[in-house]
């Protein structure tokens, strides 16, 4: 389980870095290469923000859903005969 979690965190980090690069190109902060097709186009800023949001969802999912004990033990115990206690 730790390998899957580590892999998902690595993938999430790559997704977030890619989204940040797209935001940088879309806003004109990053100009590599100088004649790139992405430079200062707002569509790349929006796409980058969406990709960063997706990367954060993957990161939170890897962090929370794949932890060792996803749910705390419950105090509620269902009766054996199926009857509602009371």
């Amino acid at each position: 389980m730790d390998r899957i979690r580590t892999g998902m965190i690595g993938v999430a980090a790559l997704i977030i870095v890619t989204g940040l690069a797209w935001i940088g190109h879309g806003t004109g902060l990053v100009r590599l290469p100088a004649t790139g097709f992405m430079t200062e186009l707002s569509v790349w800023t929006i796409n980058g923000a969406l990709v960063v949001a997706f990367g954060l969802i993957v990161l939170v999912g890897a962090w929370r859903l794949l932890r060792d004990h996803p749910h705390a033990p419950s105090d509620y115990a269902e009766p054996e005969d199926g009857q509602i206690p009371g």
Side-chain angles (χ1 to χ4, degrees):
M1 191 65 101
D2 287 335
R3 285 182 159 184
I4 294 172
R5 183 177 179 182
T6 303
M8 284 184 66
I9 289 172
V11 168
L14 289 174
I15 292 170
I16 291 169
V17 167
T18 300
L20 291 174
W22 288 5
I23 290 171
H25 278 287
T27 57
L29 294 174
V30 177
R31 294 185 177 271
L32 295 173
T35 60
F37 65 94
M38 295 171 64
T39 306
E40 295 185 22
L41 292 175
S42 63
V43 69
W44 290 106
T45 304
I46 295 167
N47 289 345
L50 293 173
V51 169
V52 168
F54 177 71
L56 290 173
I57 290 170
V58 172
L59 183 66
V60 168
W63 196 259
R64 293 193 57 178
L65 298 177
L66 294 177
R67 61 185 176 210
D68 291 336
H69 304 288
H71 302 289
S74 176
D75 291 336
Y76 174 76
E78 191 170 325
E80 292 180 16
D81 60 0
Q83 297 295 323
I84 297 174

